[in-house]
Amino acid sequence: DLKASPWRYSQSPMLDNICPESPILRAPTIGLTGTTYNMLDTSLSTISEQLTLLEFGIFRKVEFHELAKLSWKGPRAKRTSPNILLLISKFNTVSQWVATEVVTGKDEKRRAQVIERFISVGQKCLECRNYNTLMEIL
């Protein structure tokens, strides 16, 4: 259910309707424990495109005042910089997802395949000029 997903940050109809069959958007925990999602079975394009769309959905909502004077670090950050906080949260979640996918591999061969896959996803993100998601993966 997309509405229960921590990845549904945007109220945008665009994100609500983008590739609902995609395992990236369908799996609320994006492949973490308890889902049937297997990143090795999903195309590089699908993974990188969906991560890029999710990133863009948040990034386009960031307003100038959220960046001014490091307001996301202040005591009123939730009110003054909600979209920056979402970007930070997404960054941490994707980084955790990458680490979890690697360490939960059954054996060294599987872990190596997952690492290679993430390197390829990172390259696709670089081609899309999605540097934030690239850094999340690294």
Side-chain angles (χ1 to χ4, degrees):
D1 183 12
L2 285 175
K3 292 180 180 170
S5 173
W7 284 89
R8 189 176 179 276
Y9 291 123
S10 173
Q11 298 301 316
S12 166
M14 180 185 84
L15 285 181
D16 291 346
N17 297 317
I18 293 171
C19 300
E21 72 282 358
S22 169
I24 295 294
L25 287 174
R26 189 176 64 240
T29 53
I30 310 184
L32 298 174
T33 330
T35 68
T36 58
Y37 169 72
N38 181 351
M39 75 157 305
L40 295 177
D41 294 338
T42 305
S43 76
L44 292 173
S45 294
T46 297
I47 295 170
S48 62
E49 287 171 7
Q50 293 304 305
L51 289 172
T52 298
L53 288 169
L54 291 168
E55 190 81 34
F56 177 71
I58 302 167
F59 182 76
R60 72 181 181 167
K61 290 181 153 191
V62 174
E63 297 179 20
F64 176 76
H65 69 84
E66 294 184 63
L67 299 168
K69 300 180 184 176
L70 302 175
S71 64
W72 68 89
K73 291 186 174 188
R76 299 182 315 158
K78 287 183 182 179
R79 203 167 51 108
T80 60
S81 300
N83 298 305
I84 297 294
L85 294 178
L86 284 174
L87 282 171
I88 292 168
S89 177
K90 180 185 174 289
F91 189 103
N92 293 335
T93 302
V94 171
S95 296
Q96 181 184 12
W97 170 56
V98 170
T100 302
E101 287 289 323
V102 171
V103 300
T104 57
K106 295 177 186 175
D107 53 29
E108 291 176 8
K109 182 179 178 182
R110 166 70 181 194
R111 289 189 291 272
Q113 290 173 332
V114 171
I115 290 170
E116 288 173 0
R117 188 66 162 192
F118 275 119
I119 290 169
S120 297
V121 170
Q123 289 172 329
K124 284 283 192 186
C125 288
L126 182 62
E127 290 170 15
C128 293
R129 296 186 177 127
N130 182 355
Y131 305 114
N132 198 56
T133 300
L134 171 63
M135 295 308 293
E136 293 166 358
I137 292 170
L138 292 179

